[in-house]
Amino acid sequence: MIPTTRATITASAAAVIAATGYLGTKYLAGGILLCVLALAWGWPHLAHVSRTMVSSLVIAGGGALAIFAVALGRSEPYLRYMVIAVAAVTIAALASEIFFASQRGHAVTSVAGTAAGGAIATSGAAWLAANRTVGAEDLVVAGGTVLAVAAVAAVLTSNGNVNAVLTIVLGTGAGSGMGQLLPSMSWWGGALVGLSCAVTVVLTNELYRREPRPRTHMAGIASGITPVLVAGMLVYLGGRLLVG
């Protein structure tokens, strides 16, 4: 999968987060779940896990559990309920290797790959936690929008270093603009969210530049969705810093 295609996937997933976040919590939960399922479908192929179906089920189950836990949490900080899902994914990754053994010599790789995919999937619930934080609802819309802008900026030229600078500059600028447009945010708060999201895109793109291109569409989709789910954690942390 070429970088422009991956950027399109990232921008599309980010747009889903922004749109569903604007519509409300239950819609956002559905949008995050779609991203988690897409990640679970392709991540085992991207991480070269032996038992792909088992790994996909563990990742999807962990992500869904995290969303469910955060959605039903009764008091802030809502993200603390996600710890249950993270622990469950880690244990399930280890247990699945016992009952569904990988090829000889690939056990550690499979467990690590599944656990990493589960951590990424569960981090998507942070978008929901941010949306449920009083006074921080607009952060989800701003973060999703900035992610889409950053994803496009990351493939504007053929030079990776130039793209990295453009991503950070345009992402921060877009965040600042969203901060001025949205009533519950300041321009500097938007800039902080924009910088966080842009850095996430830059770091993941740099990692993918050092790896062979995904050989399957499933793996490529997972690589495109990864920064969107990971950025949820940074947006949530930004919300806690700005809102308290």
Side-chain angles (χ1 to χ4, degrees):
M1 180 174 287
I2 61 176
T4 52
T5 303
R6 187 174 65 242
T8 301
I9 294 170
T10 301
S12 299
V16 168
I17 296 297
T20 54
Y22 177 79
L23 293 174
T25 301
K26 64 179 181 180
Y27 296 100
L28 177 60
I32 298 169
L33 182 60
L34 287 176
C35 292
V36 167
L37 293 177
L39 176 85
W41 182 40
W43 180 267
H45 299 273
L46 184 65
H48 307 293
V49 176
S50 296
R51 302 292 185 180
T52 56
M53 182 60 69
V54 175
S55 179
S56 292
L57 290 174
V58 170
I59 294 170
L65 179 60
I67 295 170
F68 182 78
V70 172
L72 296 184
R74 296 185 178 182
S75 60
E76 297 185 33
Y78 297 106
L79 198 64
R80 72 177 185 271
Y81 299 105
M82 190 190 76
V83 176
I84 301 172
V86 175
V89 165
T90 303
I91 295 172
L94 292 168
S96 64
E97 186 59 32
I98 301 300
F99 294 102
F100 304 95
S102 302
Q103 300 172 6
R104 183 175 295 275
H106 293 271
V108 174
T109 300
S110 294
V111 171
T114 300
I120 293 171
T122 56
S123 68
W127 286 106
L128 196 60
N131 184 259
R132 294 196 65 195
T133 300
V134 178
E137 300 89 344
D138 288 340
L139 281 173
V140 175
V141 178
T145 303
V146 169
L147 269 174
V149 172
V152 174
V155 292
L156 285 178
T157 73
S158 58
N159 188 303
N161 293 328
V162 172
N163 288 342
V165 174
L166 288 174
T167 300
I168 292 176
V169 172
L170 294 179
T172 304
S176 178
M178 292 297 295
Q180 292 178 326
L181 289 175
L182 297 173
S184 66
M185 295 180 62
S186 61
W187 69 267
W188 57 268
L192 176 62
V193 172
L195 177 61
S196 299
C197 293
V199 168
T200 301
V201 172
V202 169
L203 292 177
T204 52
N205 280 349
E206 183 61 29
L207 290 176
Y208 290 137
R209 281 175 57 191
R210 302 183 184 191
E211 289 288 325
R213 288 181 181 177
R215 293 175 293 180
T216 66
H217 293 298
M218 293 183 292
I221 291 172
S223 70
I225 291 177
T226 296
V228 177
L229 294 175
V230 171
M233 191 67 69
L234 298 178
V235 171
Y236 174 79
L237 292 176
R240 297 302 299 175
L241 290 173
L242 296 174
V243 177

PDB file of all heavy atoms in Angstrom, residues 158-187:
ATOM      1  N   SER A 158       7.392  14.464  -1.884  1.00  0.00           N
ATOM      2  CA  SER A 158       8.097  13.172  -1.893  1.00  0.00           C
ATOM      3  C   SER A 158       9.229  13.121  -0.881  1.00  0.00           C
ATOM      4  O   SER A 158       9.904  12.100  -0.743  1.00  0.00           O
ATOM      5  CB  SER A 158       8.662  12.901  -3.297  1.00  0.00           C
ATOM      6  OG  SER A 158       9.538  13.948  -3.690  1.00  0.00           O
ATOM      7  N   ASN A 159       9.451  14.218  -0.164  1.00  0.00           N
ATOM      8  CA  ASN A 159      10.520  14.298   0.833  1.00  0.00           C
ATOM      9  C   ASN A 159       9.926  14.093   2.224  1.00  0.00           C
ATOM     10  O   ASN A 159       9.101  14.895   2.689  1.00  0.00           O
ATOM     11  CB  ASN A 159      11.220  15.656   0.749  1.00  0.00           C
ATOM     12  CG  ASN A 159      12.458  15.729   1.617  1.00  0.00           C
ATOM     13  OD1 ASN A 159      12.399  15.508   2.823  1.00  0.00           O
ATOM     14  ND2 ASN A 159      13.605  16.037   1.001  1.00  0.00           N
ATOM     15  N   GLY A 160      10.341  13.032   2.915  1.00  0.00           N
ATOM     16  CA  GLY A 160       9.784  12.723   4.224  1.00  0.00           C
ATOM     17  C   GLY A 160      10.039  13.794   5.264  1.00  0.00           C
ATOM     18  O   GLY A 160       9.169  14.094   6.089  1.00  0.00           O
ATOM     19  N   ASN A 161      11.239  14.395   5.252  1.00  0.00           N
ATOM     20  CA  ASN A 161      11.564  15.429   6.241  1.00  0.00           C
ATOM     21  C   ASN A 161      10.718  16.683   6.028  1.00  0.00           C
ATOM     22  O   ASN A 161      10.242  17.296   6.989  1.00  0.00           O
ATOM     23  CB  ASN A 161      13.046  15.781   6.154  1.00  0.00           C
ATOM     24  CG  ASN A 161      13.939  14.630   6.581  1.00  0.00           C
ATOM     25  OD1 ASN A 161      13.564  13.834   7.442  1.00  0.00           O
ATOM     26  ND2 ASN A 161      15.114  14.516   5.967  1.00  0.00           N
ATOM     27  N   VAL A 162      10.532  17.058   4.766  1.00  0.00           N
ATOM     28  CA  VAL A 162       9.685  18.217   4.464  1.00  0.00           C
ATOM     29  C   VAL A 162       8.250  17.947   4.890  1.00  0.00           C
ATOM     30  O   VAL A 162       7.574  18.802   5.472  1.00  0.00           O
ATOM     31  CB  VAL A 162       9.745  18.550   2.955  1.00  0.00           C
ATOM     32  CG1 VAL A 162       8.717  19.637   2.602  1.00  0.00           C
ATOM     33  CG2 VAL A 162      11.141  19.001   2.567  1.00  0.00           C
ATOM     34  N   ASN A 163       7.777  16.743   4.618  1.00  0.00           N
ATOM     35  CA  ASN A 163       6.418  16.374   5.011  1.00  0.00           C
ATOM     36  C   ASN A 163       6.235  16.433   6.524  1.00  0.00           C
ATOM     37  O   ASN A 163       5.175  16.831   7.019  1.00  0.00           O
ATOM     38  CB  ASN A 163       6.094  14.969   4.509  1.00  0.00           C
ATOM     39  CG  ASN A 163       5.895  14.924   3.012  1.00  0.00           C
ATOM     40  OD1 ASN A 163       5.667  15.958   2.377  1.00  0.00           O
ATOM     41  ND2 ASN A 163       5.985  13.747   2.437  1.00  0.00           N
ATOM     42  N   ALA A 164       7.270  16.026   7.269  1.00  0.00           N
ATOM     43  CA  ALA A 164       7.181  16.060   8.728  1.00  0.00           C
ATOM     44  C   ALA A 164       7.005  17.489   9.232  1.00  0.00           C
ATOM     45  O   ALA A 164       6.176  17.763  10.114  1.00  0.00           O
ATOM     46  CB  ALA A 164       8.429  15.425   9.346  1.00  0.00           C
ATOM     47  N   VAL A 165       7.785  18.421   8.658  1.00  0.00           N
ATOM     48  CA  VAL A 165       7.676  19.827   9.056  1.00  0.00           C
ATOM     49  C   VAL A 165       6.305  20.383   8.674  1.00  0.00           C
ATOM     50  O   VAL A 165       5.644  21.064   9.480  1.00  0.00           O
ATOM     51  CB  VAL A 165       8.797  20.659   8.395  1.00  0.00           C
ATOM     52  CG1 VAL A 165       8.595  22.150   8.682  1.00  0.00           C
ATOM     53  CG2 VAL A 165      10.162  20.205   8.900  1.00  0.00           C
ATOM     54  N   LEU A 166       5.854  20.072   7.460  1.00  0.00           N
ATOM     55  CA  LEU A 166       4.541  20.543   7.020  1.00  0.00           C
ATOM     56  C   LEU A 166       3.426  19.997   7.908  1.00  0.00           C
ATOM     57  O   LEU A 166       2.469  20.702   8.235  1.00  0.00           O
ATOM     58  CB  LEU A 166       4.301  20.126   5.563  1.00  0.00           C
ATOM     59  CG  LEU A 166       5.102  20.862   4.494  1.00  0.00           C
ATOM     60  CD1 LEU A 166       4.861  20.242   3.125  1.00  0.00           C
ATOM     61  CD2 LEU A 166       4.733  22.343   4.479  1.00  0.00           C
ATOM     62  N   THR A 167       3.548  18.737   8.285  1.00  0.00           N
ATOM     63  CA  THR A 167       2.520  18.121   9.129  1.00  0.00           C
ATOM     64  C   THR A 167       2.404  18.827  10.464  1.00  0.00           C
ATOM     65  O   THR A 167       1.297  19.135  10.936  1.00  0.00           O
ATOM     66  CB  THR A 167       2.846  16.631   9.355  1.00  0.00           C
ATOM     67  OG1 THR A 167       2.895  15.959   8.098  1.00  0.00           O
ATOM     68  CG2 THR A 167       1.782  15.976  10.231  1.00  0.00           C
ATOM     69  N   ILE A 168       3.545  19.109  11.086  1.00  0.00           N
ATOM     70  CA  ILE A 168       3.525  19.768  12.401  1.00  0.00           C
ATOM     71  C   ILE A 168       3.006  21.203  12.281  1.00  0.00           C
ATOM     72  O   ILE A 168       2.174  21.651  13.087  1.00  0.00           O
ATOM     73  CB  ILE A 168       4.926  19.738  13.020  1.00  0.00           C
ATOM     74  CG1 ILE A 168       5.301  18.293  13.380  1.00  0.00           C
ATOM     75  CG2 ILE A 168       4.978  20.618  14.269  1.00  0.00           C
ATOM     76  CD1 ILE A 168       6.709  18.129  13.905  1.00  0.00           C
ATOM     77  N   VAL A 169       3.477  21.924  11.265  1.00  0.00           N
ATOM     78  CA  VAL A 169       3.060  23.322  11.097  1.00  0.00           C
ATOM     79  C   VAL A 169       1.571  23.420  10.769  1.00  0.00           C
ATOM     80  O   VAL A 169       0.814  24.173  11.406  1.00  0.00           O
ATOM     81  CB  VAL A 169       3.899  24.005  10.003  1.00  0.00           C
ATOM     82  CG1 VAL A 169       3.334  25.388   9.680  1.00  0.00           C
ATOM     83  CG2 VAL A 169       5.350  24.124  10.444  1.00  0.00           C
ATOM     84  N   LEU A 170       1.128  22.641   9.777  1.00  0.00           N
ATOM     85  CA  LEU A 170      -0.272  22.707   9.368  1.00  0.00           C
ATOM     86  C   LEU A 170      -1.194  22.113  10.437  1.00  0.00           C
ATOM     87  O   LEU A 170      -2.300  22.610  10.650  1.00  0.00           O
ATOM     88  CB  LEU A 170      -0.462  21.965   8.039  1.00  0.00           C
ATOM     89  CG  LEU A 170       0.233  22.590   6.824  1.00  0.00           C
ATOM     90  CD1 LEU A 170      -0.008  21.754   5.573  1.00  0.00           C
ATOM     91  CD2 LEU A 170      -0.262  24.017   6.612  1.00  0.00           C
ATOM     92  N   GLY A 171      -0.735  21.052  11.095  1.00  0.00           N
ATOM     93  CA  GLY A 171      -1.540  20.472  12.157  1.00  0.00           C
ATOM     94  C   GLY A 171      -1.748  21.430  13.319  1.00  0.00           C
ATOM     95  O   GLY A 171      -2.858  21.599  13.816  1.00  0.00           O
ATOM     96  N   THR A 172      -0.659  22.086  13.731  1.00  0.00           N
ATOM     97  CA  THR A 172      -0.758  23.058  14.823  1.00  0.00           C
ATOM     98  C   THR A 172      -1.620  24.244  14.413  1.00  0.00           C
ATOM     99  O   THR A 172      -2.452  24.724  15.194  1.00  0.00           O
ATOM    100  CB  THR A 172       0.639  23.543  15.232  1.00  0.00           C
ATOM    101  OG1 THR A 172       1.450  22.409  15.581  1.00  0.00           O
ATOM    102  CG2 THR A 172       0.549  24.492  16.424  1.00  0.00           C
ATOM    103  N   GLY A 173      -1.440  24.699  13.174  1.00  0.00           N
ATOM    104  CA  GLY A 173      -2.247  25.820  12.680  1.00  0.00           C
ATOM    105  C   GLY A 173      -3.715  25.472  12.595  1.00  0.00           C
ATOM    106  O   GLY A 173      -4.588  26.266  12.965  1.00  0.00           O
ATOM    107  N   ALA A 174      -4.010  24.251  12.108  1.00  0.00           N
ATOM    108  CA  ALA A 174      -5.407  23.819  12.024  1.00  0.00           C
ATOM    109  C   ALA A 174      -6.020  23.704  13.413  1.00  0.00           C
ATOM    110  O   ALA A 174      -7.184  24.073  13.630  1.00  0.00           O
ATOM    111  CB  ALA A 174      -5.498  22.482  11.291  1.00  0.00           C
ATOM    112  N   GLY A 175      -5.240  23.215  14.370  1.00  0.00           N
ATOM    113  CA  GLY A 175      -5.728  23.114  15.739  1.00  0.00           C
ATOM    114  C   GLY A 175      -6.027  24.478  16.331  1.00  0.00           C
ATOM    115  O   GLY A 175      -7.045  24.673  17.008  1.00  0.00           O
ATOM    116  N   SER A 176      -5.147  25.436  16.060  1.00  0.00           N
ATOM    117  CA  SER A 176      -5.370  26.791  16.552  1.00  0.00           C
ATOM    118  C   SER A 176      -6.638  27.383  15.945  1.00  0.00           C
ATOM    119  O   SER A 176      -7.430  28.041  16.641  1.00  0.00           O
ATOM    120  CB  SER A 176      -4.163  27.675  16.217  1.00  0.00           C
ATOM    121  OG  SER A 176      -4.377  29.006  16.640  1.00  0.00           O
ATOM    122  N   GLY A 177      -6.841  27.120  14.656  1.00  0.00           N
ATOM    123  CA  GLY A 177      -8.059  27.608  14.003  1.00  0.00           C
ATOM    124  C   GLY A 177      -9.310  26.988  14.588  1.00  0.00           C
ATOM    125  O   GLY A 177     -10.319  27.674  14.803  1.00  0.00           O
ATOM    126  N   MET A 178      -9.257  25.678  14.863  1.00  0.00           N
ATOM    127  CA  MET A 178     -10.408  25.012  15.477  1.00  0.00           C
ATOM    128  C   MET A 178     -10.670  25.561  16.876  1.00  0.00           C
ATOM    129  O   MET A 178     -11.823  25.694  17.301  1.00  0.00           O
ATOM    130  CB  MET A 178     -10.151  23.507  15.548  1.00  0.00           C
ATOM    131  CG  MET A 178     -10.118  22.800  14.210  1.00  0.00           C
ATOM    132  SD  MET A 178     -11.693  22.890  13.324  1.00  0.00           S
ATOM    133  CE  MET A 178     -12.751  21.940  14.418  1.00  0.00           C
ATOM    134  N   GLY A 179      -9.596  25.913  17.585  1.00  0.00           N
ATOM    135  CA  GLY A 179      -9.759  26.488  18.908  1.00  0.00           C
ATOM    136  C   GLY A 179     -10.483  27.818  18.886  1.00  0.00           C
ATOM    137  O   GLY A 179     -11.223  28.156  19.821  1.00  0.00           O
ATOM    138  N   GLN A 180     -10.308  28.571  17.811  1.00  0.00           N
ATOM    139  CA  GLN A 180     -10.996  29.852  17.690  1.00  0.00           C
ATOM    140  C   GLN A 180     -12.449  29.675  17.257  1.00  0.00           C
ATOM    141  O   GLN A 180     -13.309  30.481  17.600  1.00  0.00           O
ATOM    142  CB  GLN A 180     -10.254  30.739  16.689  1.00  0.00           C
ATOM    143  CG  GLN A 180      -8.882  31.190  17.178  1.00  0.00           C
ATOM    144  CD  GLN A 180      -8.144  32.027  16.145  1.00  0.00           C
ATOM    145  OE1 GLN A 180      -8.270  31.813  14.952  1.00  0.00           O
ATOM    146  NE2 GLN A 180      -7.372  32.998  16.624  1.00  0.00           N
ATOM    147  N   LEU A 181     -12.711  28.602  16.498  1.00  0.00           N
ATOM    148  CA  LEU A 181     -14.068  28.370  16.005  1.00  0.00           C
ATOM    149  C   LEU A 181     -14.977  27.743  17.067  1.00  0.00           C
ATOM    150  O   LEU A 181     -16.156  28.082  17.156  1.00  0.00           O
ATOM    151  CB  LEU A 181     -14.035  27.457  14.771  1.00  0.00           C
ATOM    152  CG  LEU A 181     -13.476  28.054  13.486  1.00  0.00           C
ATOM    153  CD1 LEU A 181     -13.398  26.989  12.399  1.00  0.00           C
ATOM    154  CD2 LEU A 181     -14.350  29.224  13.017  1.00  0.00           C
ATOM    155  N   LEU A 182     -14.437  26.823  17.859  1.00  0.00           N
ATOM    156  CA  LEU A 182     -15.243  26.106  18.832  1.00  0.00           C
ATOM    157  C   LEU A 182     -15.355  26.900  20.132  1.00  0.00           C
ATOM    158  O   LEU A 182     -14.341  27.381  20.652  1.00  0.00           O
ATOM    159  CB  LEU A 182     -14.633  24.727  19.097  1.00  0.00           C
ATOM    160  CG  LEU A 182     -14.600  23.806  17.866  1.00  0.00           C
ATOM    161  CD1 LEU A 182     -13.825  22.537  18.169  1.00  0.00           C
ATOM    162  CD2 LEU A 182     -16.010  23.473  17.404  1.00  0.00           C
ATOM    163  N   PRO A 183     -16.549  27.045  20.670  1.00  0.00           N
ATOM    164  CA  PRO A 183     -16.757  27.949  21.823  1.00  0.00           C
ATOM    165  C   PRO A 183     -16.065  27.539  23.109  1.00  0.00           C
ATOM    166  O   PRO A 183     -15.734  28.400  23.933  1.00  0.00           O
ATOM    167  CB  PRO A 183     -18.290  27.932  21.994  1.00  0.00           C
ATOM    168  CG  PRO A 183     -18.745  26.641  21.368  1.00  0.00           C
ATOM    169  CD  PRO A 183     -17.803  26.411  20.227  1.00  0.00           C
ATOM    170  N   SER A 184     -15.857  26.238  23.330  1.00  0.00           N
ATOM    171  CA  SER A 184     -15.313  25.797  24.616  1.00  0.00           C
ATOM    172  C   SER A 184     -13.792  25.703  24.613  1.00  0.00           C
ATOM    173  O   SER A 184     -13.201  25.259  25.603  1.00  0.00           O
ATOM    174  CB  SER A 184     -15.890  24.418  24.979  1.00  0.00           C
ATOM    175  OG  SER A 184     -15.450  23.427  24.057  1.00  0.00           O
ATOM    176  N   MET A 185     -13.146  26.124  23.526  1.00  0.00           N
ATOM    177  CA  MET A 185     -11.694  26.010  23.425  1.00  0.00           C
ATOM    178  C   MET A 185     -11.063  27.366  23.178  1.00  0.00           C
ATOM    179  O   MET A 185     -11.681  28.279  22.638  1.00  0.00           O
ATOM    180  CB  MET A 185     -11.304  25.048  22.286  1.00  0.00           C
ATOM    181  CG  MET A 185     -11.726  23.617  22.493  1.00  0.00           C
ATOM    182  SD  MET A 185     -11.227  22.570  21.108  1.00  0.00           S
ATOM    183  CE  MET A 185      -9.431  22.717  21.187  1.00  0.00           C
ATOM    184  N   SER A 186      -9.790  27.476  23.557  1.00  0.00           N
ATOM    185  CA  SER A 186      -8.998  28.665  23.240  1.00  0.00           C
ATOM    186  C   SER A 186      -8.098  28.343  22.056  1.00  0.00           C
ATOM    187  O   SER A 186      -7.903  27.181  21.703  1.00  0.00           O
ATOM    188  CB  SER A 186      -8.147  29.067  24.454  1.00  0.00           C
ATOM    189  OG  SER A 186      -7.252  28.010  24.801  1.00  0.00           O
ATOM    190  N   TRP A 187      -7.517  29.358  21.466  1.00  0.00           N
ATOM    191  CA  TRP A 187      -6.659  29.116  20.304  1.00  0.00           C
ATOM    192  C   TRP A 187      -5.416  28.325  20.701  1.00  0.00           C
ATOM    193  O   TRP A 187      -4.950  27.460  19.962  1.00  0.00           O
ATOM    194  CB  TRP A 187      -6.253  30.442  19.651  1.00  0.00           C
ATOM    195  CG  TRP A 187      -5.320  31.281  20.483  1.00  0.00           C
ATOM    196  CD1 TRP A 187      -5.645  32.262  21.362  1.00  0.00           C
ATOM    197  CD2 TRP A 187      -3.888  31.179  20.515  1.00  0.00           C
ATOM    198  NE1 TRP A 187      -4.527  32.788  21.950  1.00  0.00           N
ATOM    199  CE2 TRP A 187      -3.422  32.145  21.433  1.00  0.00           C
ATOM    200  CE3 TRP A 187      -2.956  30.376  19.845  1.00  0.00           C
ATOM    201  CZ2 TRP A 187      -2.073  32.324  21.712  1.00  0.00           C
ATOM    202  CZ3 TRP A 187      -1.616  30.554  20.128  1.00  0.00           C
ATOM    203  CH2 TRP A 187      -1.180  31.522  21.044  1.00  0.00           C
TER     204      TRP A 187
END
